[in-house]
Amino acid sequence: MTADIAGFSGGKGTGPVLPTRRRLLSMAAGVVLLVDVGTKTLAVGLLAPDRAFPLLGDSVVCVLTRNSGAALSMAANRTVVLTGVVLFVAITVAWIGAYVRSPWWALGLGMVLGGATGNLVDRFFRAPGPLRGHVIDFLAIGPTPVFNVADLGVLAGVALLITLSLLGFPFNGVARTSGPHAGS
């Protein structure tokens, strides 16, 4: 009964998606977006392009780059197409999020939405212009490519969603059964 009051059960017959799930999704997306935009603003204001600034020795460094492509700078000459794909993903995640009943799925979807939106902000508002803007990347851990907080949000959100799927946490809040007559 306590779980129902707290809004964590989400079982069959609970009606429309509880506003707390949408709120959690929106808050997660908003936090990732705000931290991403804020850190990118700091990076552009404080870092010299392609000049590494060590945070933790050589293990974690800040280096300002502008990425016209996707992750690992793939498809650098397809910026408009990438913008369209990311916009489609963001709209799809927001649409799916309107139906989520699980708070954990709402959190994961919110992180993905916030990260996608953070990089879309760059695509729309940074040089060289709308739909072709270059994404600001500024973090590198060891030999990894340079990335940003939006990338971390997407990666963490996707990892959470995959983990939830593998562990059997349902999107709709209804527990899985082990057979056709389980629980009867």
Side-chain angles (χ1 to χ4, degrees):
M1 184 69 136
T2 306
D4 288 331
I5 293 170
F8 289 108
S9 69
K12 284 184 182 175
T14 58
V17 177
L18 297 174
T20 55
R21 304 310 191 279
R22 289 187 191 142
R23 203 169 313 139
L24 178 59
L25 186 141
S26 298
M27 286 175 50
V31 166
V32 171
L33 176 61
L34 288 174
V35 171
D36 180 62
V37 170
T39 55
K40 286 176 180 174
T41 301
L42 285 172
V44 168
L46 299 174
L47 299 173
D50 297 319
R51 187 166 178 203
F53 176 81
L55 289 178
L56 295 173
D58 290 337
S59 299
V60 180
V61 297
C62 287
V63 59
L64 181 63
T65 62
R66 297 173 188 271
N67 183 358
S68 62
L72 309 175
S73 295
M74 294 184 298
N77 58 347
R78 303 269 192 262
T79 306
V80 174
V81 173
L82 289 171
T83 303
V85 169
V86 174
L87 184 59
F88 175 77
V89 167
I91 290 169
T92 302
V93 169
W95 179 74
I96 290 170
Y99 299 97
V100 69
R101 291 183 182 270
S102 163
W104 294 107
W105 277 84
L107 178 63
L109 289 169
M111 293 167 69
V112 171
L113 181 59
T117 304
N119 283 337
L120 276 174
V121 167
D122 285 359
R123 296 286 184 204
F124 278 98
F125 298 109
R126 294 209 185 265
L131 302 179
R132 298 173 321 195
H134 295 181
V135 173
I136 300 297
D137 288 332
F138 60 92
L139 291 170
I141 300 173
T144 63
V146 183
F147 57 94
N148 58 43
V149 172
D151 299 336
L152 288 174
V154 170
L155 180 63
V158 167
L160 176 59
L161 296 175
I162 290 171
T163 302
L164 292 171
S165 293
L166 292 175
L167 295 177
F169 280 84
F171 169 83
N172 65 359
V174 178
R176 291 184 182 173
T177 59
S178 59
H181 301 290
S184 342

